Amino acid sequence: DTEVTQTPKHLVMGMTNKKSLKCEQHMGHRAMYWYKQKAKKPPELMFVYSYEKLSINESVPSRFSPECPNSSLLNLHLHALQPEDSALYLCASSTNNGELFFGEGSRLTVL
Amino acid sequence: QKEVEQDPGPLSVPEGAIVSLNCTYSNSAFQYFMWYRQYSRKGPELLMYTYSSGNKEDGRFTAQVDKSSKYISLFIRDSQPSDSATYLCAMSPNDYKLSFGAGTTVTVRA
């Protein structure tokens, strides 16, 4: 079992809803990530937090808003999403030498 | 040209066969090389991690990195039906940004 825990596992939301995805890791990693994965495609990087500071933002629309409350937690706030945002959202954390560990993902459906 | 090239397959082999997967890349700055296994509707699981060139073995899995040829491989010996999954190669330079291959779908037939 992965040591990166994501909740919820499944989420269905309307285009006017506000929801959040949550991620937690207790491996002492200081870098945490959000990826988006569409069917039969590799993961695409959205955000990177390093030492609780946002260090990479891959030009993601503002309807996705990341938050890193502390070194173990990472949230992704969702607002006014579009149906094309339906995907598997993956949280990950990494060691200092770049080993990246993923969670099981949150499967999001936007109606 | 993509930064990382990986044949998407699909690849179908009989149980007990050796599965051979590979990726090529163009960025000579890549130093860290990883292979992930992803089952349907699950997150990717880190299988093998290699820094720079060389071979690494873990049970039935062997990873090889040839930086001079910009080529990495993953071999699965004595393949089992439970090895049926999508295998993703990934690599990065000294920062946090991984570049992924497209993923190869493997089916091991019982």
Side-chain angles (χ1 to χ4, degrees):
Chain A
D1 286 343
T2 178
E3 294 183 68
V4 177
T5 304
Q6 290 188 242
T7 55
K9 289 189 174 11
H10 302 277
L11 178 63
V12 179
M13 60 187 289
M15 290 189 281
T16 58
N17 292 158
K18 280 186 182 179
K19 297 285 185 183
S20 296
L21 305 180
K22 297 184 182 302
C23 176
E24 188 170 6
Q25 59 89 12
H26 293 290
M27 295 181 281
H29 296 166
R30 301 314 298 264
M32 295 186 74
Y33 308 70
W34 282 114
Y35 280 82
K36 173 183 176 180
Q37 188 177 28
K38 300 283 264 185
K40 300 191 186 302
K41 297 286 187 184
E44 295 174 34
L45 182 63
M46 300 175 73
F47 304 103
V48 181
Y49 274 85
S50 177
Y51 290 87
E52 298 155 52
K53 288 186 170 48
L54 184 63
S55 63
I56 295 178
N57 177 342
E58 290 290 302
S59 301
V60 176
S62 59
R63 57 185 184 267
F64 295 92
S65 174
E67 179 197 15
C68 189
N70 61 53
S71 60
S72 300
L73 294 174
L74 187 66
N75 299 322
L76 186 63
H77 303 298
L78 314 170
H79 174 54
L81 295 192
Q82 304 297 309
E84 60 265 29
D85 296 321
S86 298
L88 183 67
Y89 287 84
L90 294 161
C91 175
S93 67
S94 68
T95 63
N96 289 339
N97 59 2
E99 289 174 276
L100 189 74
F101 296 91
F102 286 95
E104 292 286 18
S106 293
R107 185 160 297 281
L108 174 67
T109 302
V110 182
L111 301 176
Chain B
Q1 185 190 4
K2 290 182 186 175
E3 202 169 35
V4 180
E5 297 278 0
Q6 182 179 7
D7 185 342
L11 185 63
S12 180
V13 301
E15 185 174 357
I18 295 175
V19 176
S20 174
L21 304 166
N22 57 76
C23 292
T24 58
Y25 63 94
S26 56
N27 186 347
S28 57
F30 287 145
Q31 299 270 19
Y32 304 96
F33 302 92
M34 281 154 269
W35 284 96
Y36 288 88
R37 177 175 64 194
Q38 187 171 23
Y39 293 114
S40 180
R41 307 179 79 82
K42 297 285 190 182
E45 173 192 3
L46 180 62
L47 275 181
M48 301 290 279
Y49 168 86
T50 310
Y51 172 70
S52 195
S53 282
N55 294 355
K56 184 172 183 179
E57 192 171 313
D58 184 1
R60 296 185 296 113
F61 298 91
T62 300
Q64 293 181 348
V65 174
D66 182 350
K67 289 187 72 180
S68 62
S69 302
K70 296 191 178 69
Y71 185 90
I72 71 170
S73 302
L74 177 71
F75 299 97
I76 308 173
R77 289 184 299 282
D78 187 25
S79 57
Q80 305 294 310
S82 58
D83 295 325
S84 298
T86 297
Y87 291 81
L88 294 148
C89 64
M91 47 200 81
S92 72
N94 290 327
D95 60 22
Y96 296 106
K97 200 168 173 181
L98 274 187
S99 294
F100 282 90
T104 302
T105 301
V106 174
T107 301
V108 180
R109 308 186 305 271

